[in-house]
Amino acid sequence: MPREIRITPSILNANFDDLTGEIRRIAAVSDLVHLDVMDNIFVPNFTFDFAAASEIIKESALPVDAHLMVADADTIAPQYAEIGCASVTLHVEATKNVPATLRAIRSAGARAGLAVKPGTDISDYADVVDLVDMFLIMTVEPGFGGQSFMKEMMEKVTKTRKIIGDRPIWLQVDGGISPETIEIATEAGADTFVAGSAVFRAPDPAQMVVTLRALANAVK
Ligand code: DX5
Ligand code: ZN
């Protein structure tokens, strides 16, 4: 079955003084915009509080793919779904009740995403597969943009693809995705790609999105 490729640029390395404008620059060629929410507890970095994130989501020219790197995901994730994110991804390491929170995201009208850090096995979550709309396999330790792609995560991507089987679940990778790494990740089974610094540090961000998509499409 041919996989549809999605490019979801992360604005973590974009110009924070004009995020709405930065999203507009890549809107015509991207599927969703990836919004990294960090609370300085779950990860040693802070990006937005709920009020600031709400403003960006309200003004966004693209549907928002929220990646919550926050400690209290069970409370916070449904709130992001309620304010209109198209997709809300929580970390398994930050929730006390994975199935309940996935269900709450869906009932608030968003796609439910489940993320694992590099050290977390995905096999333990195979039993919630029917509550998941997207798996996110981190290919760096969450917290910062611009880190090196962890090729050793490709085994986990392939394992996740097997868990997904024929279901229409997206398989996202996040961290170090660039023209040098997107083909390896596609070969392993990913179909949805976060790219932060590769896109926003490129001279022409929109052209970089087009390039990444073409590289992935040539593999799948
Ligand atoms: C890291 C974030 C990523 C980050 C990716 O914790 O989740 O989304 O923006 O940045 P790059 O593409 O530069 O690795
Ligand atoms: Zn992210």
Side-chain angles (χ1 to χ4, degrees):
M1 196 172 67
R3 275 179 277 147
E4 192 188 328
I5 298 297
R6 287 165 217 93
I7 310 290
T8 58
S10 159
I11 50 173
L12 188 60
N13 276 308
N15 173 13
F16 263 49
D17 293 332
D18 181 23
L19 287 177
T20 304
E22 293 283 73
I23 295 170
R24 235 181 273 121
R25 288 172 82 190
I26 47 102
V29 291
S30 305
D31 296 277
L32 299 94
V33 61
H34 182 87
L35 187 71
D36 290 299
V37 182
M38 305 187 188
D39 65 353
N40 207 17
I41 301 169
F42 182 69
V43 288
N45 195 4
F46 181 85
T47 52
F48 318 104
D49 61 17
F50 188 67
S54 305
E55 279 304 305
I56 299 164
I57 293 158
K58 200 170 69 191
E59 300 293 328
S60 176
L62 277 169
V64 174
D65 166 35
H67 176 194
L68 304 182
M69 287 160 276
V70 298
D72 186 9
D74 297 316
T75 310
I76 295 168
Q79 296 171 356
Y80 275 85
E82 277 155 24
I83 58 169
C85 291
S87 174
V88 178
T89 300
L90 63 123
H91 270 267
V92 299
E93 304 88 357
T95 166
K96 292 189 181 70
N97 194 334
V98 171
T101 304
L102 291 171
R103 282 196 186 94
I105 293 169
R106 277 187 175 173
S107 29
R111 298 175 59 91
L114 195 62
V116 288
K117 298 210 280 190
T120 304
D121 192 359
I122 194 70
S123 314
D124 300 338
Y125 302 95
D127 58 340
V128 294
V129 64
D130 289 312
L131 299 175
V132 173
D133 297 303
M134 179 173 82
F135 283 106
L136 165 52
I137 306 302
M138 290 303 299
T139 42
V140 297
E141 284 298 338
F144 300 93
Q147 303 182 76
S148 301
F149 177 74
M150 296 170 74
K151 193 170 178 233
E152 60 274 29
M153 291 302 123
M154 294 306 95
E155 209 177 299
K156 200 195 285 188
V157 171
T158 303
K159 198 191 258 189
T160 309
R161 178 53 66 194
K162 289 206 182 94
I163 293 170
I164 291 173
D166 289 337
R167 298 171 182 88
I169 298 173
W170 301 357
L171 179 45
Q172 188 176 52
V173 281
D174 182 3
I177 298 299
S178 72
E180 284 71 47
T181 58
I182 194 165
E183 290 160 301
I184 303 164
T186 312
E187 270 156 25
D191 59 13
T192 304
F193 302 89
V194 179
S197 43
V199 169
F200 282 100
R201 287 187 189 154
D204 182 345
Q207 183 51 48
M208 178 53 72
V209 174
V210 171
T211 299
L212 290 169
R213 188 188 302 282
L215 288 168
N217 270 317
V219 171
K220 65 137 204 223

